[in-house]
Amino acid sequence: MSRTFNILKTDLNKFTDKFKSNKTSTQEEISDEEKLKRFEGCSSHDGPQDIFQTHCDVLVIGGGGVGSSVAYWLKQRARDGLNVVVVERDSTYERASSVLSVGGLRQQFSLPENIQMSLYGADFMRDVKEHLGDDVELNFTPHGYLVLASEEGAETLTRNSKLQNELGARNELLNANQLKAKFPWINTDGIVLGCHGLEKEGWFDPWALLMAYKKRAKEYGAHFVNGEVVGFEMKDQPDIIVRGNTEGDYQALDKVVVKMADGETRTIKFAICVLAAGAYSGNIARMANIGMGKGLLAFPLPVEPRKRYVYVINTQGTNAPGLGTPLTVDPCGTYFRRDGLGGNYLCGRSPTCEQEPPVDNLDVDHEYFETDIWPSLANRCQAFESAKVVNCWAGYYEYNVFDENGIIGAHPYYNNMLIATGFSGHGIQQTPAVGRAISELIIDGQFRSIDLTRLGFDRIVVDRPMFETNIV
């Protein structure tokens, strides 16, 4: 009912504005300076600034890949039917997980939901110009993934490949001899099996995808606010009874408190809130008392930032992996792929729990490359023995400490909060499917394209983790 009234109010305001516009000849023109004073919320490089929205139907917290995709899908489907506001604290995206990733796209997962989401991601990117505009260039490189397995992991790799192909992916299993014949640079010592993606796998430009989501969402009428969420305001709803709560003490989320770029604090009233704040989603959830209360509010959102390093190396060694080399994942977790034509490669590896670096900065640990990554690279490919680091950066995973998988769907306590976070490093490739899924929950009331029910917050409440065996 609240959304319906808001829609009617928006239509009435538009009619009133149109009626007023017919009388402008008898009214004083508003100066350009006065118009600018009314504008707030977007950085100058985003084009025309946006009028600050004090009320909205859907508030999206986080304007990265997931949040911008949610905004795009809602406005693509509803247009003027929903007022959508996205709050993003870093309008430059300098520290955003989406743009600091290596932009991988693969279907080599063990959970059907992840496979299906990435399959749709591949279809979406193939037709991206139809979705997001003719000027979008993702620079997709379709060289696939190559996941290697030792004797210990061969059975799991075989089982996963069977499921992936049944669901529509296309990959092949290669034994050690077949791997050597197809990829002459590879040292197959300790390798029993490899799974090579033949279609719909590779890598793309995550910055281009993010900017395309944002541009199209704004063209459809979404509002982007440059500000930081610092709190929520609640409203009493004594008629709602939730298990674990005393009758009459239920409070719903009503407004979000935003600290603007100029330091001013403002509020936005919303009907529905979508929490898609990436690595900082756990912090935002605590502001809403999630994990701090009783009953269903006793369960925290288990998402926190984890720092990961990406190194750019160069080798001029003989028999180096060629231009068509897939993104290769070693059994120890080290990965690499080609980067351009000059003998450069991107590489990295997730640290163990004991090695987790501090997250108060994005400094790169150069020793980690020397001690943990380079030995495994040199062992798998002799050309990497002479590799030198020529560039590097660090970014944050939105790490789900519960089971390293995305959390998608409604919060069990708040009837007006949806969650889309915790993808633990594979979120950017799934943003087309996740944004579509959240739009379905809001507009249709249920998942329609891919059933993602098992990835909801409820699994945390009942302690049923959905572990993914193919985390990179």
Side-chain angles (χ1 to χ4, degrees), residues 111-179:
L111 293 179
E113 292 88 345
N114 283 332
I115 298 169
Q116 291 172 311
M117 283 193 288
S118 289
L119 279 168
Y120 178 69
D123 292 339
F124 183 92
M125 292 183 203
R126 181 193 62 214
D127 302 325
V128 70
K129 292 183 182 296
E130 297 179 16
H131 294 289
L132 302 180
D134 291 335
D135 59 337
V136 179
E137 295 293 345
L138 298 184
N139 298 314
F140 181 67
T141 305
H143 294 331
Y145 268 62
L146 175 62
V147 179
L148 303 175
S150 62
E151 183 72 44
E152 181 181 6
E155 182 180 349
T156 299
L157 193 69
T158 302
R159 184 170 59 250
N160 290 345
S161 174
K162 182 175 183 296
L163 175 62
Q164 293 150 14
N165 282 280
E166 287 174 352
L167 291 175
R170 187 162 175 257
N171 57 50
E172 61 179 355
L173 291 173
L174 304 171
N175 61 33
N177 291 333
Q178 291 170 321
L179 284 168

Side-chain angles (χ1 to χ4, degrees), residues 192-466:
V192 173
L193 206 59
C195 185
H196 178 217
L198 300 174
E199 292 180 0
K200 299 185 177 183
E201 289 193 339
W203 51 93
F204 60 93
D205 183 350
W207 171 261
L209 180 60
L210 170 58
M211 289 298 102
Y213 280 141
K214 185 174 181 180
K215 179 183 177 183
R216 187 62 109 189
K218 292 177 71 175
E219 288 173 354
Y220 288 159
H223 303 275
F224 281 75
V225 174
N226 178 22
E228 180 179 1
V229 172
V230 295
F232 289 88
E233 291 183 6
M234 308 291 191
K235 66 177 178 181
D236 294 328
Q237 288 190 330
D239 56 321
I240 294 181
I241 301 174
V242 177
R243 179 178 295 180
N245 277 43
T246 304
E247 184 175 346
D249 69 353
Y250 180 83
Q251 287 189 314
L253 299 172
D254 185 43
K255 298 179 181 179
V256 70
V257 182
V258 181
K259 184 178 181 181
M260 307 299 291
D262 61 3
E264 181 185 4
T265 299
R266 308 186 71 170
T267 62
I268 304 174
K269 184 178 177 67
F270 57 83
I272 295 174
C273 171
V274 179
L275 179 51
Y280 302 99
S281 296
N283 293 339
I284 302 295
R286 283 189 287 274
M287 296 177 192
N289 208 31
I290 296 173
M292 312 292 288
K294 60 182 180 179
L296 292 174
L297 287 178
F299 298 91
L301 180 63
V303 178
E304 61 185 41
R306 293 285 178 91
K307 185 160 68 173
R308 296 292 180 262
Y309 308 121
V310 179
Y311 302 89
V312 182
I313 60 174
N314 181 273
T315 179
Q316 299 300 321
T318 58
N319 197 26
L323 292 177
T325 299
L327 192 154
T328 303
V329 185
D330 199 75
C332 70
T334 297
Y335 69 86
F336 72 88
R337 69 163 172 84
R338 284 286 298 222
D339 184 38
L341 305 176
N344 285 353
Y345 300 81
L346 298 185
C347 63
R349 178 180 177 180
S350 293
T352 63
C353 293
E354 296 76 18
Q355 296 174 313
E356 285 292 350
V359 295
D360 57 345
N361 60 66
L362 284 177
D363 297 341
V364 176
D365 183 351
H366 293 274
E367 184 179 350
Y368 183 69
F369 174 81
E370 298 294 338
T371 58
D372 289 70
I373 297 178
W374 177 77
S376 55
L377 288 174
N379 175 64
R380 194 58 57 209
C381 175
Q382 186 176 4
F384 289 141
E385 290 181 355
S386 60
K388 302 295 181 184
V389 176
V390 295
N391 195 8
C392 57
W393 67 85
Y396 294 124
Y397 271 13
E398 49 183 280
Y399 191 81
N400 178 357
V401 299
F402 181 67
D403 59 11
E404 299 183 62
N405 246 312
I407 302 169
I408 307 168
H411 187 268
Y413 180 87
Y414 292 117
N415 57 19
N416 62 341
M417 173 179 271
L418 297 173
I419 297 171
T421 188
F423 298 96
S424 304
H426 53 268
I428 187 63
Q429 64 183 297
Q430 296 179 347
T431 53
V434 174
R436 183 180 65 174
I438 294 296
S439 76
E440 291 172 351
L441 290 179
I442 293 173
I443 296 173
D444 304 312
Q446 62 182 333
F447 294 120
R448 288 192 175 275
S449 303
I450 303 173
D451 187 357
L452 303 177
T453 305
R454 296 199 305 167
L455 296 181
F457 193 97
D458 289 350
R459 76 181 193 270
I460 299 167
V461 176
V462 298
D463 194 23
R464 291 183 182 173
M466 297 285 291

